[in-house]
């Protein structure tokens, strides 16, 4: 509406949209709606909900999923929305936008550009459960405007929190600087060596698969 025209578009100007922009915005909205619908089932975890949204939009929006330029537009749409949500104090909605943007970034890197071996769930969980410092920094470094500079000054001293993937851990969230990645697959993080060891029997099959994919990727990169 008229109120929006007085606001910075944060990189996605709804008053000057091309047909590609409209398609990508429709895609981003469809992805969001299916994600939220799937998340109503409390048994579903974030990766499951993202995969459901991906699968449900794959046919209708194949031209977006297969085109890195259109994917960048969809990412820009989420970044613009998330930035505005932060400015309006709607941090939960901003976290959703960050999750969608990061998932699409990861997909682009792994599938379209092939510059990354596998999707990094720690990076996605990092913004899904983001503290205010992590969230504001995520958007601020990606938007072309300085609209979050003032907000960043407010939150930059907030401790960044990480995630322990051992479900038996009493400290699900821990100071990020103290977390450690699984060295083999880099797809999970822990708060301590003890938690990593306790989770190993569960994590091992996934780790072996991802480590094998990573080794094949590294070999291909070296021979390129």
């Amino acid at each position: 509406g008229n109120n929006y025209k007085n606001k910075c578009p944060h990189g996605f100007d709804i008053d000057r949209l091309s047909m590609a922009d409209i398609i990508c915005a429709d895609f981003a909205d469809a992805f969001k709606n299916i994600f939220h619908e799937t998340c109503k089932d409390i048994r579903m975890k974030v990766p499951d909900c993202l995969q459901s949204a991906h699968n449900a939009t794959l046919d209708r929006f194949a031209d977006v999923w297969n085109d890195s330029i259109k994917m960048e537009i969809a990412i820009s749409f989420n970044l613009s929305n998330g930035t505005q949500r932060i400015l309006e104090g709607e941090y939960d909605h901003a976290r959703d936008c960050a999750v969608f943007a990061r998932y699409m970034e990861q997909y682009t890197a792994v599938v379209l550009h092939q510059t990354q071996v596998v999707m990094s769930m720690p990076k996605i969980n990092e913004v899904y459960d983001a503290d205010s410092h992590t969230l504001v920094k995520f958007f601020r470094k990606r938007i072309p405007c300085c609209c979050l500079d003032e907000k960043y000054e407010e939150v930059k001293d907030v401790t960044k929190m990480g995630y322990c993937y051992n479900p038996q851990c009493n400290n699900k969230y821990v100071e990020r600087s103290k977390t450690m990645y699984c060295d083999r697959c880099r797809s999970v993080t822990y708060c301590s060596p003890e938690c990593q060891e306790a989770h190993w029997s569960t994590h091992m099959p996934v780790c072996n698969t991802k480590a094998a994919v990573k080794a094949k990727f590294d070999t291909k990169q070296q021979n390129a």
Side-chain angles (χ1 to χ4, degrees), residues 63-87:
D63 57 331
V64 180
W65 283 114
N66 295 324
D67 187 327
S68 61
I69 294 175
K70 287 178 181 169
M71 192 58 72
E72 288 296 332
I73 296 171
I75 292 168
S76 177
F77 177 82
N78 281 306
L79 295 176
S80 173
N81 280 348
T83 298
Q84 190 58 39
R85 295 292 195 174
I86 287 175
L87 294 173

Side-chain angles (χ1 to χ4, degrees), residues 118-157:
V118 291
M119 305 273 276
S120 173
M121 282 315 301
K123 290 292 185 184
I124 292 171
N125 279 324
E126 190 179 280
V127 290
Y128 180 74
D129 293 315
D131 53 85
S132 55
H133 183 176
T134 297
L135 190 66
V136 173
K137 184 177 181 180
F138 175 85
F139 287 103
R140 180 174 178 253
K141 68 186 289 189
R142 287 167 169 80
I143 55 175
C145 53
C146 54
C147 291
L148 290 178
D149 287 5
E150 188 176 330
K151 182 65 67 174
Y152 182 72
E153 289 300 314
E154 294 175 16
V155 301
K156 68 180 182 180
D157 293 327

